[in-house]
Amino acid sequence: MNKSDVAALAERAKGGDKSAFDNLYYEFGGKVFYFARQNLASDEAAEDVVSEVFIAALENISTLRRGESFVGWLYTICYNKCIRYNKAEQKNEYFESTEQLDELMLNDPVMLPDD
């Protein structure tokens, strides 16, 4: 699919044509997944982000200025979703074993109600 075809589909999708958006999804879903996978730790995370990207794109397609900018706009959404996902994952602590968790818990000070 060339740039003018993508621009035409994006303009039709912007006008409310669901089949045009479906075509954009089928054209770019795999490419966006590959991009997300390069920025995330797992296939599952990339799949989640791709779903979020296309939902956001569908909800916000009316804000797209020109159909020619669809691809860059889509990848920008994906990049921002990847950053948010990675930040959220950094806030979560994961332990590789129960021994590692037990060791951490044994070394933490215990606050009693009287303290």
Side-chain angles (χ1 to χ4, degrees):
M1 183 176 292
N2 63 34
K3 288 182 181 183
S4 63
D5 292 340
V6 172
L9 281 174
E11 287 297 329
R12 286 181 32 217
K14 187 176 175 182
D17 185 345
K18 300 289 187 205
S19 67
F21 191 84
D22 288 345
N23 288 336
L24 290 168
Y25 174 79
Y26 289 119
E27 179 68 24
F28 292 101
K31 295 170 185 171
V32 171
F33 173 81
Y34 181 76
F35 179 79
R37 184 61 185 93
Q38 298 304 309
N39 292 290
L40 299 169
S42 69
D43 287 350
E44 293 81 18
E47 289 171 2
D48 290 345
V49 166
V50 169
S51 295
E52 291 177 21
V53 166
F54 279 96
I55 289 169
L58 180 60
E59 291 173 347
N60 297 298
I61 190 101
S62 63
T63 65
L64 183 65
R65 292 186 193 173
R66 297 182 333 240
E68 295 87 17
S69 59
F70 176 78
V71 176
W73 179 73
L74 188 66
Y75 280 101
T76 300
I77 294 170
C78 185
Y79 180 74
N80 290 331
K81 296 276 184 193
C82 288
I83 289 172
R84 285 188 201 111
Y85 188 92
N86 283 329
K87 282 183 181 178
E89 285 297 304
Q90 288 175 358
K91 290 180 183 178
N92 297 328
E93 288 189 44
Y94 296 100
F95 302 98
E96 293 187 20
S97 67
T98 55
E99 291 82 23
Q100 186 181 22
L101 177 61
D102 290 341
E103 182 179 317
L104 180 67
M105 291 174 65
L106 291 174
N107 293 332
D108 279 349
V110 175
M111 297 291 289
L112 299 175
D114 294 326
D115 294 339

